[in-house]
Amino acid sequence: MSGSRIILGYAIVDPDGRYPETPEYGIGCLNEAREEAHALNEDFAEELDGGAYAVLTLFADGGAERVA
């Protein structure tokens, strides 16, 4: 599997692009992370003013990518 990356887990990123240093979600909890981000977006819709909470995949190499 050349070129594959090791996934540490998933984390919620806030509208300012900040996310926890330690993943809050282990591997396999993508749906839970998506549900929490969706709930945060509903709870704070008026305050977000175009920003949004999102889910990031956190990789062992230190990288992170937004989950579609």
Side-chain angles (χ1 to χ4, degrees):
M1 295 179 97
S2 179
S4 63
R5 299 170 81 182
I6 298 170
I7 296 173
L8 287 178
Y10 303 97
I12 305 294
V13 64
D14 71 15
D16 294 325
R18 298 175 297 201
Y19 63 94
E21 291 181 23
T22 304
E24 293 184 20
Y25 303 99
I27 296 170
C29 296
L30 176 57
N31 287 337
E32 182 180 335
R34 282 180 169 163
E35 288 173 12
E36 183 170 340
H38 180 74
L40 286 166
N41 287 329
E42 286 185 350
D43 290 347
F44 299 105
E46 291 181 16
E47 299 170 32
L48 290 175
D49 192 33
Y53 286 86
V55 179
L56 292 183
T57 302
L58 305 177
F59 296 99
D61 63 9
E65 290 181 9
R66 187 176 175 143
V67 177

